[in-house]
Amino acid sequence: MARLSSASGLLVLCAMTEQLEGVRERDRLATMVALLPGVFVSYRLRPDGTCEVPFATPSIAEIYDLTPAALAADPRALHDLIHSADRDRVAAARAASARDLTPLRCDYRVSNPTRGERWVELTAGVMREPDGSVFWHGEVRDITECKRALVLEHDRLACFAASVPGAF
């Protein structure tokens, strides 16, 4: 059995310590992301038009009723849950972001099989990869209650305007 010199042993110990620190840092980051509100997701669109979701926080199930593993297996499931009336607008926003390499931001409805229709806000940074893929890292937030409040306020204002001649 070969013996390590004290210098070699020190190098091995340093490498193991760095590896352990990397694991600790990764665990801290995972905990932090899990505690933040919203969903954090990474989405890649390849030059051939295929896509993948290499990362999503577990909270994605609250909005889309899908697990990160399910999205990794079938990333098209995200598109299928976008409300049919919003799909073209979301696709156009994504295409413009990919073309111009500008941040992606859009609000749209999700047809959640368990929770019903939800409004979400997507905000993502974008970058082009060496192979020509476009990669977004971003956040999806449930804004359903905000949208409902806006509709109520709009209805109140319309009612007021209708009751006061010449108000608007």
Side-chain angles (χ1 to χ4, degrees):
M1 182 173 181
R3 297 189 79 203
L4 293 176
S5 69
S6 57
S8 296
L10 184 58
L11 287 173
V12 169
L13 182 59
C14 287
M16 290 173 63
T17 301
E18 285 180 20
Q19 186 177 17
L20 181 59
E21 282 303 311
V23 168
R24 286 182 184 150
E25 188 62 29
R26 186 186 69 227
D27 290 347
R28 275 192 291 266
L29 182 60
T31 299
M32 181 183 73
V33 168
L35 293 174
L36 291 171
V39 174
F40 294 89
V41 65
S42 295
Y43 180 90
R44 177 179 288 119
L45 180 62
R46 294 186 191 97
D48 66 2
T50 60
C51 60
E52 74 172 312
V53 179
F55 175 81
T57 54
S59 55
I60 198 158
E62 295 170 19
I63 293 176
Y64 294 95
D65 203 29
L66 295 167
T67 64
L71 283 173
D74 181 15
R76 296 290 311 164
L78 274 178
H79 304 286
D80 296 341
L81 292 173
I82 296 173
H83 191 284
S84 59
D86 298 339
R87 284 186 190 143
D88 288 344
R89 186 171 45 78
V90 173
R94 186 177 56 239
S97 174
R99 181 188 63 240
D100 303 334
L101 293 180
T102 54
L104 174 58
R105 181 183 163 103
C106 62
D107 298 351
Y108 58 93
R109 291 166 288 177
V110 171
S111 300
N112 182 307
T114 305
R115 298 178 68 205
E117 184 177 281
R118 309 302 298 170
W119 274 96
V120 298
E121 175 185 58
L122 167 64
T123 308
V126 63
M127 62 185 233
R128 187 165 319 276
E129 296 187 309
D131 70 352
S133 294
V134 180
F135 204 21
W136 288 271
H137 299 284
E139 177 189 19
V140 180
R141 291 186 319 125
D142 188 329
I143 59 168
T144 304
E145 297 310 314
C146 292
K147 287 287 189 177
R148 287 181 182 155
L150 285 171
V151 167
L152 284 173
E153 190 61 30
H154 179 267
D155 291 349
R156 284 187 196 128
L157 186 57
C159 184
F160 172 75
S163 68
V164 179
F168 292 94

